[in-house]
Amino acid sequence: MDENLFFLLKELLTKNSIKVNNEELKLQLFGHPSYPSLHSLTGVLDHFNIPNLAIEIPKTEENIALLPDYFIAHIENNRGDNFALISKKADAIQITREGKKSELVSIDSFIDLWTGIVLVIETDENIKTDISSIFSKGLLVSIPVVLIICFLFLSQNPFESFHFVFSMIGLMICIFILQHEIGTSSQVLNKICTGVSDKVSCDDVMQSKGSNLFGFVKLSDLGIIYFLTSVLSSLLFVISKNNFTPLFLASLMALPFTIYSIYYQFQIVKKWCLLCLGVILVLWIQSALAIANINSISEIISEPNSYLLFAFAAYLTTALWLFIAPKIRLKPEYFKLKVQFNKFKRNFEIFNNLLSRSQAINTTITNCNEIVFGAKNSELEIVIITNPLCGFCKNAHKLIHIVLDQETEVKIIVRFNVSQNTKAIDNKIAAKLVEICHLNGEEICLTAMNEAYSSRDAATWLNKWGESENEYYSQILMEEKNWCTNNNIPFTPEILLNGKSYPKEYDFEELQYFLEDINEFEVSTQTELITD
């Protein structure tokens, strides 16, 4: 899967100091039905509520000066047309495109390449940074550092300390190898593995038959198991004050694998894997430390407790890794399935076909002053039929905020299906909400609705907001109830899009992906009717 467009979008966000979850960003981009078009970029930015504008403007130096310092532009050259990240310099333009390749050109040269189409974003203080993702990454990076500091504090032997440090380095290199194998490595690793010379190709080495031991155990798994065992047993040894002889012997026993790996890369594959060579270098350094620290044969056979601890560490890490590894390797496949699922679910033709199966009903209630949000004269009308005491209506209520946050003009009618008994709790809350909307406006009404649907304590809500004493609002609820009965809508929540029932195959929040398309479809339909 080509990640160039993902890289450009991620870099644009980074340049504007906007941080989002990279995995979610990738899923939303690759899963967009129109990927890799400009519409997919704007759709992803809309998903994260990042203000953006995609527009075609005249290709002049004056207009370039008005653009922000960083933006995505559509350019053309002898290799075809594509997107590029543009960085404005003092008297030049830096163009970054495939594979992080950058070039500095004059403004006139950029104008010749540029089609006039740009995508710009605005920084917004209301954009929420993914704190949990940043914290988890920071925690993950700090683990090796903390372990090394703890070990150096406990150990007085420099050979043991250096051996432990290189075990951590070897483990991290093996994790990078695993990331490259499953296709989740970074741009930096991709350059290390392919961009150095024609003789370097991690893919050729990792995908060869020699990368599997006995046909089913990958050497990357053995590397992770070895270094995990080394790290765990080192910690056990230093805590229990046992000697490191079993671990040093294991380092010497690993040397034949390094010879085999070098021979296989040089003679069979005829390509080098720099990450694999990094592991080999670590093993050689550890072997040198082992030779320098083993003083005699008697030391090798002494302290059987050390061998028991080493065997325990090897068994534990092997069992855990063989359990975890298949799940990690399946993660890219799960991601591909999620991308395909998103493309399918966000396909407007499928959604509209399901929507069209429903018979449209007349949603108008004559002379009924209901709660209405959004654009009152919009061609797109959403009727949310709800009940303040309905637990399932909470998700339907969230739809109001989702729709209002979109730039598409939409008329939202909140229609209550509550008990006709004016003393019933659901009737009291609904009547008060209608009254608040009429007397205090939409904003305060929405605040009151948020509290009503977020809390199950109706008594507390009524104590705060009070009860309506005006029978006019109870009459509105009665008309809404009669409309629901006449149109055979006994249950809540129910969503109607221009009179058609919202497809059950979709969650309510997924409507945000289709608002623009629905609006365009309705406008085009009305235009065709007028023309006919």
Side-chain angles (χ1 to χ4, degrees):
M1 187 176 290
D2 184 12
E3 295 192 357
N4 181 60
L5 201 59
F6 166 72
F7 162 73
L8 294 178
L9 183 58
K10 185 177 70 171
E11 284 296 299
L12 178 64
L13 295 175
T14 302
K15 297 290 187 183
N16 285 274
S17 302
I18 298 174
K19 296 180 180 179
V20 298
N21 185 291
N22 284 338
E23 186 171 348
E24 178 68 13
L25 181 69
K26 186 181 293 186
L27 175 62
Q28 292 298 326
L29 179 61
F30 293 158
H32 198 281
S34 63
Y35 173 83
S37 68
L38 183 64
H39 185 245
S40 66
L41 293 175
T42 59
V44 172
L45 294 172
D46 290 339
H47 172 80
F48 287 99
N49 294 321
I50 298 172
N52 64 90
L53 178 64
I55 192 172
E56 183 174 4
I57 59 177
K59 302 193 303 178
T60 64
E61 189 171 341
E62 290 76 14
N63 283 339
I64 293 175
L66 295 175
L67 291 171
D69 292 337
Y70 306 100
F71 58 92
I72 288 177
H74 187 251
I75 61 174
E76 292 179 328
N77 53 27
N78 52 10
R79 290 172 294 179
D81 61 326
N82 51 35
F83 293 102
L85 176 66
I86 307 303
S87 303
K88 291 165 56 177
K89 304 299 181 182
D91 295 311
I93 298 292
Q94 181 176 322
I95 302 175
T96 305
R97 40 190 161 192
E98 301 103 342
K100 225 173 182 179
K101 296 177 182 176
S102 297
E103 60 177 322
L104 200 64
V105 301
S106 66
I107 295 178
D108 290 336
S109 298
F110 169 69
I111 290 176
D112 291 337
L113 296 172
W114 181 35
T115 64
I117 297 173
V118 295
L119 170 64
V120 298
I121 63 176
E122 302 176 19
T123 54
D124 189 340
E125 295 179 356
N126 296 322
I127 298 174
K128 296 181 180 179
T129 301
D130 189 356
I131 301 296
S132 61
S133 176
I134 298 173
F135 177 76
S136 61
K137 286 182 180 178
L139 188 63
L140 191 63
V141 171
S142 67
I143 288 176
V145 178
V146 172
L147 287 177
I148 290 173
I149 292 174
C150 291
F151 188 91
L152 295 177
F153 178 77
L154 294 171
S155 176
Q156 304 300 319
N157 188 318
F159 293 100
E160 296 173 357
S161 299
F162 278 114
H163 194 281
F164 180 80
V165 170
F166 279 103
S167 293
M168 294 297 302
I169 294 173
L171 178 59
M172 287 186 284
I173 295 175
C174 287
I175 291 174
F176 291 150
I177 292 175
L178 177 64
Q179 286 182 323
H180 191 81
E181 283 181 351
I182 63 178
T184 59
S185 57
S186 65
Q187 293 282 340
V188 176
L189 283 181
N190 288 338
K191 279 203 166 186
I192 292 174
C193 289
T194 58
V196 179
S197 74
D198 295 337
K199 289 292 184 181
V200 174
S201 176
C202 294
D203 287 334
D204 289 348
V205 176
M206 294 177 188
Q207 294 173 8
S208 64
K209 292 182 179 179
S211 65
N212 292 308
L213 190 65
F214 308 123
F216 65 92
V217 179
K218 297 189 74 67
L219 290 178
S220 59
D221 289 330
L222 288 180
I224 290 177
I225 290 172
Y226 169 81
F227 287 115
L228 273 176
T229 300
S230 180
V231 169
L232 179 58
S233 57
S234 296
L235 292 171
L236 292 175
F237 290 156
V238 76
I239 291 173
S240 61
K241 300 190 182 304
N242 281 289
N243 69 44
F244 277 59
T245 302
L247 192 54
F248 291 150
L249 289 176
S251 298
L252 296 175
M253 292 172 64
L255 284 177
F257 287 97
T258 66
I259 305 300
Y260 165 76
S261 180
I262 291 176
Y263 168 79
Y264 190 83
Q265 293 179 63
F266 177 72
Q267 196 67 27
I268 307 299
V269 183
K270 301 186 186 310
K271 293 286 181 71
W272 295 103
C273 170
L274 295 185
L275 293 175
C276 304
L277 293 178
V279 173
I280 291 171
L281 178 61
V282 168
L283 291 173
W284 283 357
I285 293 174
Q286 288 188 322
S287 298
L289 292 170
I291 293 171
N293 200 56
I294 296 179
N295 298 318
S296 64
I297 298 296
S298 61
E299 184 178 325
I300 295 177
I301 60 176
S302 64
E303 296 192 36
N305 289 341
S306 296
Y307 290 92
L308 290 175
L309 285 174
F310 181 79
F312 169 75
Y315 171 78
L316 183 61
T317 54
T318 301
L320 286 174
W321 182 249
L322 292 181
F323 175 76
I324 295 171
K327 295 175 174 56
I328 294 176
R329 286 196 162 89
L330 280 175
K331 186 177 179 182
E333 297 302 319
Y334 290 146
F335 180 78
K336 289 179 182 177
L337 287 174
K338 288 171 70 176
V339 167
Q340 293 170 359
F341 175 77
N342 268 22
K343 282 194 172 185
F344 178 81
K345 285 294 288 282
R346 294 174 63 173
N347 188 306
F348 176 67
E349 290 185 6
I350 297 174
F351 176 85
N352 194 44
N353 184 48
L354 292 172
L355 183 65
S356 300
R357 291 181 181 181
S358 172
Q359 185 68 35
I361 60 177
N362 184 5
T363 59
T364 303
I365 304 178
T366 307
N367 297 325
C368 184
N369 202 357
E370 299 180 277
I371 296 177
V372 180
F373 297 111
K376 306 296 189 296
N377 298 320
S378 173
E379 295 290 338
L380 176 56
E381 176 192 86
I382 300 176
V383 179
I384 302 176
I385 302 164
T386 181
N387 185 311
L389 299 185
C390 168
F392 298 104
C393 292
K394 183 176 181 179
N395 288 331
H397 171 71
K398 293 178 182 177
L399 184 61
I400 298 175
H401 292 278
I402 293 173
V403 172
L404 292 178
D405 287 340
Q406 303 293 313
E407 293 185 1
T408 306
E409 289 192 349
V410 183
K411 175 183 180 182
I412 306 173
I413 298 175
V414 178
R415 185 164 294 170
F416 293 106
N417 188 352
V418 296
S419 171
Q420 292 187 352
N421 182 359
T422 57
K423 294 183 179 181
I425 299 297
D426 59 347
N427 188 290
K428 290 181 179 180
I429 296 176
K432 186 60 182 178
L433 287 171
V434 176
E435 183 181 63
I436 292 172
C437 183
H438 291 171
L439 300 182
N440 305 104
E442 296 178 16
E443 186 174 344
I444 297 178
C445 177
L446 194 54
T447 301
M449 288 185 71
N450 292 340
E451 294 183 13
Y453 283 92
S454 62
S455 174
R456 302 297 296 165
D457 190 353
T460 302
W461 189 92
L462 287 171
N463 286 334
K464 176 179 179 179
W465 295 95
E467 298 181 21
S468 174
E469 298 180 358
N470 193 331
E471 293 184 1
Y472 171 69
Y473 303 113
S474 298
Q475 182 63 35
I476 292 176
L477 298 182
M478 186 175 295
E479 292 178 10
E480 292 178 335
K481 177 69 175 180
N482 291 336
W483 180 91
C484 292
T485 302
N486 294 336
N487 288 281
N488 195 26
I489 303 178
F491 303 112
T492 57
E494 179 70 28
I495 307 294
L496 299 176
L497 302 179
N498 284 354
K500 296 181 180 180
S501 183
Y502 186 80
K504 305 301 181 186
E505 292 82 0
Y506 290 84
D507 295 330
F508 293 137
E509 59 267 21
E510 291 176 321
L511 177 60
Q512 62 182 306
Y513 303 127
F514 306 111
L515 286 175
E516 185 178 340
D517 292 322
I518 294 172
N519 206 23
E520 291 178 0
F521 179 79
E522 293 296 334
V523 170
S524 63
T525 302
Q526 292 295 330
T527 303
E528 289 176 5
L529 291 174
I530 293 171
T531 304
D532 293 341

